[in-house]
Amino acid sequence: MVMCLDPLPLRVRRESRHITMSITLEHRGRVASFGNLSEMSAQSANDADERSAADITKAKEAVLESDHASFVAAVVSGDIASSPVAVATGDVAEEVRVAALSAARAALSGAAAEGKSAEILSALAKMVEDNVVAAEAATQDRSEDHRRGALVALYGHCASTSLPAGDAGREPALKLILKSLGKLGDRGCFVAAPALAPLAADLGFASNALVKQLMTDATTSASESERRAGAAGVAGLFSGFGGSSIAKFGAVTSVEEALDAKKDAVARAGGCALYAHMCATADRAFEPFAVKLAPKVFALQGDASAEVRAAADAGQTALVKSLPLTAMKLLSPALVHAMGHKSWQAKCGALGTCGDLAQRVPQYFMRTIPEIFPAFLECVFDTHPKVSALAGHVMEPICRCVKNAEVLGMLHLVMDAIREPQKETETCLDKLMETTFVNSMDAPSLAVVLPIILRGLRERTKELKQKAAVTCGNICALVDDVRDLNPFIPSLKPELEKCEEHSHPDLRECATKAKGSLLKGLEGQGASGDRKDATTCVVKALESVQGGVDAETKAYAASLGGWVIESAPMRIPPSILANDVKHELLALLEGMVDEEQLKSAAEGAVLEYKGLDAAALLDDEQKDYIVDLQGIILAFAGRVLLQRTNFSLERGKTYGIVGQNGTGKTTLLNRVAAKDIAGFPPDVSVYYIQHEILSEKEETIVDFMVQMVPEGVSRDTVVNTLKEVGFDDVKMAATIQSLSGGWRMKLAIARAMLWDAEVLLLDEPTNHLDIPSKEMLEEALQSFEGTVIAISHDRYFLRQIATRVLNFDNGVVSDYMGDYSYFLEKNEKAGARDARLQKAAKEVEKTQVKAKSKMSKAEKAKLKKEKAKAFGGGSGKKKANKNAGRWN
């Protein structure tokens, strides 16, 4: 069972009636699966695919480029067994099988088949009769089962496209497909059953009796093949009838009653089979009910009957494969129920699914971690060796789903503390206390870390209890959304209250502080400005939508729409987000409601969630942010420097960073340089100029720079870049030692440009530079076309370079969208301070003027000469005037 390697975007792409945004648990081999431990797996060694991803892509492309005429000729002749396209319909890789079936359909509908439709249909009908219907039973060979299913699917495709609606030949074609389903395995039926959909409309009133018979076969027949054929057939018909038919024929009730038949193993197995094929074939109309019934199906993986267990396995796989990624979180109740079940098979089934999902689509599976992790921890220490072994096997991929970079950096310690709490808890707590955090703690990260803290609080020793209490307070202070703390309050609060009653005052104090941080989740629930619940907003918006949608489906749709809203980037324009929500709702409710009504509901939900009016829908402009980080946190050793603040950088802007010492400016710059903040784009090139360039070698600047640039950068490029920052031929022929501090800083900027730096970082770059050197640095930065971030206390320097100002104050970064003068105008505190400094400078200037008046003519002439020399000879007067604010 292998997941889709590339998660699809939120905006749903649909081909025909099939939703492509699904979780796939079908093909194993290229990536390790977690369901393949002894009898826990139905995987055969013969099904493993040892090809690389590139080889599989090559095979898929070869199939898509195959000759249509050759395939049509093979079909007409009745001998397609050796056709490369037909062979590929049984490939181990699902993407190759899908491509092969697509290529075959295209060939039979294209120019190569023109004028041969009757001949082709007759040939396919004979092959279905001879190779499928005439078979003694369904084959156990998966590839062959896939090929047989594809043959039936092609026959159905040709019947529905070549025979017009109402044609007498359509009903016999449908019946032949239904007959063939009894000789196919589950995989073959999954491929063949959708071919019933376009033919279903021709049944008319006969459909009532047929559907009833098929559902009866699916849930009561003693024959596994008859149950499977009934389940696949009714699912294919429902796909053709439309979503409302599921309620009309009572399909959900039939499935549920069969699953609950405690004394009837045949009914339970049939219920699982019907569930599996409804998930796979009946389109998304069954999805809300599939999720609701999932706990029952997952639990039946531990049934006493082997037939029921196998059918439940197929049901679980079909559900996970058919679900859209947006529904991942809704799987949590079923997974938790199975992991808490008394049977080891049910536990292992859930653990295997968790491991597969965690590895294939971690960013989506992450949302389930807060709900499933307590049940998962119970499995880690389960008494059954197969359960504990599989839990230990899937622990790392599950824990790696969290996005907090600091937790990921110490994940080995976290997992050691989970596996061996008596030995490793203190080591992990020590590491948590000494770590500098620059990323907020979300619910998944909390779910992984807080059990270790809880274990520490329950220890006997005062020292370990105190470490746990301190860590608890620190971690809770890092939470972005305080509501994420609420699930952990019932377990942590009693332990902290016990610590508050401890005899040692230090522990009591730490526990009280930690409890205050923990309980802010409760206090913040009613606070103004808190994030609204997106699902509630969608529920409210859907109240105005008219149509035949039952309450359960509408509630399920609201959950999916809410997920789209909450997981969207913060700065996505409301109109684009509303369109994404509409697509998600439409994929589920298509044919049940009016699309325009859904559009209005989606827009209303987005505006309600964001607290905007309708005018916001007209603004779809997106600024060019090279970095856009929302809700970041910066903390070290329990001290929170930045609390849930935003850090965004527009391309091409120069940001001056200001703030008191100790507010986190340099620490944040270091984290930006390391690019280890969650959400920081990994492809952005960052260059940190921490000091001017130094060299002891006696070589020209050009020779030096040629050695300091990326491989492939030519000498001419180096020379041209040096000229861009102000170096002439004379300067380039000089040595590093002969350059002033300003020229060395220019050299550093030139090197950054040669490394294609998109973001340039500087921390107090004017320290130890004389005035001419500072001016050279200003000119170099002004010529730099990328984004610049400079920490500086030099007010004059900031006035010259900054086009934006980031002010660090009280744990928040405020973005002033103007230059340094604009910042002083808008920030009253900074403006008042600047006025005081200017006044003090004038007082000093008066003193200097008075002192200068007492100089002799020789002393004045000497001072004038020094100024002129410092500012470049003839232009000394002009530059001296420009830098009057600096020269004392």
Side-chain angles (χ1 to χ4, degrees):
M1 294 191 297
V2 173
M3 297 290 304
C4 293
L5 297 182
D6 296 313
L8 297 168
L10 283 176
R11 202 164 304 160
V12 177
R13 306 297 185 201
R14 293 180 295 143
E15 295 179 5
S16 180
R17 302 187 59 178
H18 298 281
I19 308 302
T20 62
M21 196 175 96
S22 60
I23 306 166
T24 303
L25 284 171
E26 173 69 21
H27 158 66
R28 285 182 185 165
R30 282 177 293 138
V31 187
S33 171
F34 296 99
N36 56 2
L37 300 182
S38 63
E39 59 261 76
M40 295 179 218
S41 171
Q43 172 68 19
S44 166
N46 295 328
D47 298 311
D49 190 349
E50 302 300 332
R51 295 173 297 180
S52 66
D55 288 339
I56 291 174
T57 299
K58 186 176 179 180
K60 180 177 70 173
E61 291 173 349
V63 168
L64 291 173
E65 294 170 1
S66 60
D67 181 58
H68 287 188
S70 298
F71 180 73
V72 171
V75 171
V76 171
S77 68
D79 180 22
I80 63 169
S82 59
S83 167
V85 175
V87 171
T89 60
D91 197 277
V92 177
E94 184 180 21
E95 53 261 54
V96 177
R97 295 198 302 270
V98 171
L101 193 54
S102 176
R105 285 177 176 144
L108 297 179
S109 302
E114 190 172 350
K116 303 176 183 177
S117 57
E119 199 176 355
I120 290 172
L121 187 60
S122 176
L124 286 171
K126 187 176 187 308
M127 282 187 276
V128 170
E129 289 278 8
D130 294 345
N131 297 294
V132 182
V133 176
E136 291 185 6
T139 176
Q140 297 300 309
D141 184 286
R142 295 188 182 189
S143 292
E144 179 60 25
D145 195 32
H146 278 300
R147 282 192 287 269
R148 290 182 183 181
L151 178 62
V152 177
L154 287 176
Y155 170 68
H157 167 74
C158 290
S160 62
T161 55
S162 63
L163 300 176
D167 189 285
R170 289 171 70 91
E171 187 174 341
L174 183 143
K175 290 182 178 180
L176 179 57
I177 295 172
L178 286 173
K179 192 176 180 181
S180 69
L181 295 176
K183 299 300 178 67
L184 295 174
D186 275 320
R187 289 163 185 79
C189 284
F190 290 147
V191 178
L196 291 167
L199 299 170
D202 290 271
L203 286 174
F205 291 108
S207 64
N208 292 338
L210 180 58
V211 169
K212 186 176 181 180
Q213 182 60 51
L214 289 172
M215 290 180 66
T216 300
D217 290 345
T219 56
T220 63
S221 177
S223 167
E224 180 184 0
S225 62
E226 287 186 10
R227 292 196 302 268
R228 179 167 53 239
V234 77
L237 293 177
F238 282 150
S239 178
F241 295 154
S244 60
S245 62
I246 293 175
K248 174 184 174 182
F249 289 104
V252 177
T253 302
S254 296
V255 173
E256 190 165 14
E257 289 176 352
L259 295 175
D260 289 337
K262 295 183 179 180
K263 297 182 179 181
D264 190 346
V266 167
R268 295 196 302 276
C272 289
L274 185 52
Y275 176 91
H277 286 276
M278 291 290 286
C279 288
T281 308
D283 291 336
R284 293 191 63 183
F286 185 68
E287 189 178 303
F289 310 103
V291 171
K292 174 189 173 183
L293 296 174
K296 296 177 185 289
V297 175
F298 285 20
L300 288 176
Q301 289 180 298
D303 196 272
S305 165
E307 277 195 349
V308 176
R309 292 198 301 271
D313 286 343
Q316 184 188 68
T317 300
L319 170 67
V320 177
K321 180 179 178 181
S322 65
L323 278 182
L325 294 170
T326 45
M328 176 75 72
K329 184 176 173 64
L330 304 180
L331 271 180
S332 299
L335 293 170
V336 170
H337 181 73
M339 283 190 279
H341 198 264
K342 62 182 179 182
S343 70
W344 68 266
Q345 294 100 327
K347 292 177 180 178
C348 287
L351 289 169
T353 297
C354 288
D356 278 322
L357 294 175
Q359 187 173 18
R360 315 307 173 197
V361 282
Q363 64 271 51
Y364 292 93
F365 182 75
M366 176 184 71
R367 290 172 55 81
T368 70
I369 291 179
E371 286 78 23
I372 71 164
F373 208 72
F376 168 74
L377 290 177
E378 294 296 323
C379 290
V380 172
F381 301 105
D382 196 272
T383 55
H384 197 290
K386 290 181 179 178
V387 176
S388 57
L390 186 54
H393 193 50
V394 303
M395 182 186 296
E396 182 169 352
I398 289 176
C399 291
R400 284 205 176 277
C401 289
V402 304
K403 64 181 181 180
N404 183 279
E406 290 75 34
V407 173
L408 288 173
M410 63 178 80
L411 195 59
H412 64 291
L413 292 177
V414 172
M415 291 191 296
D416 286 345
I418 291 174
R419 291 190 188 100
E420 301 181 90
Q422 291 181 327
K423 294 173 57 178
E424 303 296 339
T425 296
E426 187 169 11
T427 302
C428 187
L429 290 174
D430 288 339
K431 183 65 175 178
L432 285 167
M433 291 176 67
E434 70 183 32
T435 298
T436 300
F437 282 85
V438 295
N439 300 285
S440 61
M441 294 290 289
D442 54 7
S445 303
L446 287 170
V448 171
V449 170
L450 287 182
I452 299 166
I453 294 173
L454 185 62
R455 171 75 190 200
L457 291 172
R458 290 172 176 169
E459 290 291 332
R460 291 186 177 184
T461 64
K462 171 261 175 185
E463 290 76 13
L464 194 50
K465 283 179 177 288
Q466 186 167 333
K467 287 181 179 180
V470 171
T471 306
C472 181
N474 295 348
I475 293 297
C476 291
L478 301 174
V479 174
D480 186 13
D481 185 350
V482 292
R483 291 175 300 178
D484 289 341
L485 292 169
N486 293 340
F488 309 101
I489 290 175
S491 57
L492 287 171
K493 184 171 175 273
E495 300 300 329
L496 289 171
E497 288 175 340
K498 290 178 185 178
C499 292
E500 284 185 302
E501 299 172 359
H502 197 275
S503 60
H504 201 286
D506 289 348
L507 176 54
R508 294 199 300 270
E509 181 182 357
C510 292
T512 300
K513 289 181 178 178
K515 190 173 80 170
S517 294
L518 175 68
L519 296 183
K520 69 183 179 181
L522 290 177
E523 297 167 359
Q525 279 186 320
S528 61
D530 270 5
R531 190 175 70 193
K532 296 179 181 178
D533 180 68
T535 298
T536 302
C537 295
V538 181
V539 168
K540 182 178 177 181
L542 286 176
E543 290 175 357
S544 62
V545 175
Q546 304 296 318
V549 184
D550 61 275
E552 198 162 352
T553 299
K554 191 174 285 190
Y556 181 83
S559 298
L560 296 185
W563 187 91
V564 174
I565 293 174
E566 290 186 345
S567 60
M570 182 70 70
R571 296 187 186 275
I572 186 172
S575 60
I576 296 177
L577 178 56
N579 194 50
D580 286 341
V581 174
K582 185 202 78 171
H583 276 293
E584 183 64 32
L585 299 178
L586 184 61
L588 184 69
L589 305 177
E590 186 176 21
M592 303 182 198
V593 297
D594 179 67
E595 185 171 345
E596 283 302 313
Q597 288 188 31
L598 276 185
K599 178 183 178 184
S600 298
E603 291 174 348
V606 170
L607 295 177
E608 171 71 17
Y609 178 76
K610 291 182 170 289
L612 302 171
D613 57 30
L617 295 171
L618 302 176
D619 180 18
D620 59 358
E621 179 184 356
Q622 287 184 280
K623 293 185 177 179
D624 187 11
Y625 288 101
I626 191 169
V627 175
D628 189 15
L629 305 175
Q630 304 296 311
I632 66 169
I633 283 178
L634 186 63
F636 176 71
R639 183 184 174 199
V640 179
L641 301 175
L642 295 178
Q643 180 73 44
R644 293 189 292 277
T645 192
N646 299 336
F647 182 71
S648 303
L649 304 174
E650 279 191 64
R651 198 179 301 273
K653 302 291 184 181
T654 298
Y655 291 83
I657 295 185
V658 298
Q660 297 297 315
N661 291 332
T663 54
K665 301 187 300 296
T666 297
T667 304
L668 180 61
L669 223 62
N670 289 331
R671 301 276 58 82
V672 171
K675 298 197 291 188
D676 60 2
I677 304 175
F680 196 99
D683 56 337
V684 171
S685 173
V686 178
Y687 195 92
Y688 197 174
I689 299 179
Q690 295 176 289
H691 50 73
E692 61 200 45
I693 288 180
L694 301 173
S695 174
E696 299 298 326
K697 294 182 179 180
E698 291 289 335
E699 58 185 344
T700 68
I701 289 168
V702 174
D703 290 337
F704 171 80
M705 288 293 286
V706 167
Q707 305 170 49
M708 305 296 290
V709 298
E711 186 177 349
V713 175
S714 67
R715 188 180 185 90
D716 288 343
T717 302
V718 171
V719 170
N720 290 335
T721 304
L722 288 171
K723 288 180 178 179
E724 284 183 40
V725 297
F727 282 80
D728 57 21
D729 292 339
V730 175
K731 282 290 184 186
M732 285 189 282
T735 61
I736 300 291
Q737 296 92 321
S738 68
L739 298 179
S740 66
W743 281 106
R744 290 178 181 179
M745 288 298 292
K746 278 193 170 190
L747 200 59
I749 293 171
R751 184 165 67 177
M753 293 168 66
L754 287 164
W755 279 92
D756 290 328
E758 296 173 276
V759 177
L760 196 61
L761 309 178
L762 302 99
D763 191 355
E764 299 292 355
T766 60
N767 284 358
H768 313 300
L769 294 184
D770 56 21
I771 296 172
S773 296
K774 290 178 183 180
E775 186 179 58
M776 293 176 194
L777 175 60
E778 291 162 6
E779 292 173 352
L781 292 177
Q782 288 164 359
S783 68
F784 183 68
E785 295 180 356
T787 302
V788 177
I789 313 174
I791 298 174
S792 181
H793 287 87
D794 188 329
R795 295 173 296 129
Y796 190 89
F797 174 71
L798 291 174
R799 279 192 175 93
Q800 299 302 309
I801 65 142
T803 58
R804 296 275 279 274
V805 175
L806 300 177
N807 183 42
F808 283 53
D809 188 30
N810 291 327
V812 175
V813 178
S814 300
D815 186 353
Y816 289 82
M817 298 187 182
D819 59 14
Y820 189 70
S821 298
Y822 175 84
F823 163 68
L824 295 177
E825 177 187 340
K826 297 298 181 180
N827 187 301
E828 185 176 338
K829 181 179 175 182
R833 180 174 179 273
D834 185 73
R836 290 195 303 273
L837 291 173
Q838 286 197 27
K839 183 178 179 181
K842 288 181 180 179
E843 293 298 325
V844 171
E845 187 178 349
K846 287 179 182 179
T847 304
Q848 291 175 337
V849 169
K850 188 178 292 185
K852 183 178 176 181
S853 65
K854 298 179 179 179
M855 287 182 180
S856 65
K857 289 184 178 181
E859 289 172 329
K860 290 180 181 180
K862 182 179 179 182
L863 180 61
K864 184 176 181 180
K865 186 176 181 180
E866 287 175 351
K867 284 186 179 181
K869 181 180 179 181
F871 290 114
S875 59
K877 182 176 181 180
K878 179 180 178 182
K879 291 191 176 183
N881 290 335
K882 177 181 176 183
N883 291 278
R886 288 176 167 167
W887 186 269
N888 295 321

